[in-house]
């Protein structure tokens, strides 16, 4: 039986992963601002598929990297980290006359699913957040803990999705996002750059430790 503290930490990590600002965050709030809460809910439900996939990879990296092999996760960390920094720089340099883009307006559920599975923010952020929250318990983890940790993460994802859907549909939030979309975009760009740099540093550190 996995320790309740480990399960609680995993749930919290999953919650923070979903609510951390990123591409899905921007897409959800832009879509909900222009098309309403129902469209945003469909998008985020589709995105849950990607959350579960990337969350499972992060848990696998933490629990069983020595069995899977670290090179896969190092390559993912490098690639996603570099692209994340690139996206962050583009967001920071967004022009004042560039309107927020409504992603998924036509098919929010299908778009959310595709967006979640191809989201370049997903792996580096998932690994960074899960590692930071679960780090105190890594020494006590075993491969048999993975299924229960994934179940706890799924509950965290669902709670976070419910919170985001509720917030995105609030009239004040919709008005604020449409009015201050540029500020939000640039702020999220800074978040991208920080997480991208963290992902690259973690992958480089792991590679250096293997070759030392």
């Amino acid at each position: 039986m996995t320790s309740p503290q480990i399960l609680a930490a995993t749930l919290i990590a999953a919650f923070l992963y979903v609510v951390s600002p990123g591409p899905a965050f921007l897409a959800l709030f832009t879509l909900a601002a222009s098309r309403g809460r129902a469209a945003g809910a469909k998008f985020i439900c589709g995105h849950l598929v990607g959350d579960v996939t990337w969350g499972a990879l992060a848990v696998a990296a933490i629990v069983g990297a020595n069995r899977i092999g670290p090179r896969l996760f190092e390559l993912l960390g490098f690639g996603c980290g570099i692209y994340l920094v690139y996206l962050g720089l583009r967001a920071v340099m967004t022009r004042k006359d560039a309107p927020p883009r409504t992603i998924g307006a036509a098919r929010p559920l299908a778009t959310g699913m595709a967006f979640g599975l191809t989201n370049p923010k997903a792996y580096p952020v998932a690994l960074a957040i899960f590692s930071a929250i679960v780090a105190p318990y890594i020494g006590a983890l075993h491969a048999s803990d993975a299924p229960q940790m994934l179940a706890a993460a799924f509950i965290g994802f669902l709670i976070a999705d419910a919170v985001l859907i509720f917030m995105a549909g609030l009239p004040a939030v919709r008005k604020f996002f449409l009015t201050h979309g540029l500020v939000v975009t640039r702020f999220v760009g800074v978040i991208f750059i920080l997480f991208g740099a963290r992902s690259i540093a973690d992958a480089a550190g792991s590679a250096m430790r293997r070759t030392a």
Side-chain angles (χ1 to χ4, degrees):
M1 181 67 181
T2 304
S3 165
Q5 290 86 353
I6 294 176
L7 296 180
T10 305
L11 187 151
I12 293 171
F15 177 88
L16 293 176
Y17 164 71
V18 173
V19 300
S20 64
F25 185 94
L26 278 176
L28 168 64
F29 278 80
T30 302
L31 181 60
S34 61
R35 298 303 176 96
R37 180 179 281 151
K42 291 179 181 178
F43 176 88
I44 208 69
C45 286
H47 197 276
L48 179 62
V49 176
D51 291 337
V52 171
T53 300
W54 292 109
L57 276 175
V59 170
I62 295 170
V63 174
N66 58 326
R67 296 175 178 82
I68 298 172
R71 288 182 178 82
L72 170 62
F73 299 103
E74 289 167 3
L75 290 174
L76 283 171
F78 273 121
C80 292
I82 291 171
Y83 193 47
L84 197 60
V85 171
Y86 166 73
L87 289 179
L89 291 173
R90 288 189 59 185
V92 169
M93 294 185 293
T94 299
R95 300 194 317 269
K96 292 183 178 181
D97 58 348
R101 181 184 176 191
T102 303
I103 299 173
R107 301 175 61 190
L109 183 64
T111 303
M113 186 180 301
F115 199 73
L117 289 170
T118 59
N119 187 349
K121 161 229 177 188
Y123 178 73
V125 176
L127 184 57
I129 292 179
F130 276 80
S131 296
I133 302 295
V134 184
Y137 311 102
I138 286 179
L141 293 177
H142 304 282
S144 59
D145 294 318
Q148 295 179 67
M149 291 177 67
L150 288 175
F154 185 73
I155 295 173
F157 291 148
L158 292 179
I159 296 173
D161 286 345
V163 171
L164 287 181
I165 292 169
F166 173 76
M167 291 179 59
L170 294 175
V173 173
R174 294 174 64 184
K175 181 179 179 181
F176 174 85
F177 193 84
L178 290 175
T179 304
H180 303 285
L182 179 63
V183 175
V184 174
T185 298
R186 288 178 173 172
F187 172 75
V188 171
V190 174
I191 298 296
F192 281 16
I193 294 171
L194 293 176
F195 274 120
R198 166 66 186 273
S199 177
I200 294 169
D202 286 347
S206 175
M208 291 176 64
R209 285 191 295 272
R210 282 194 302 103
T211 58

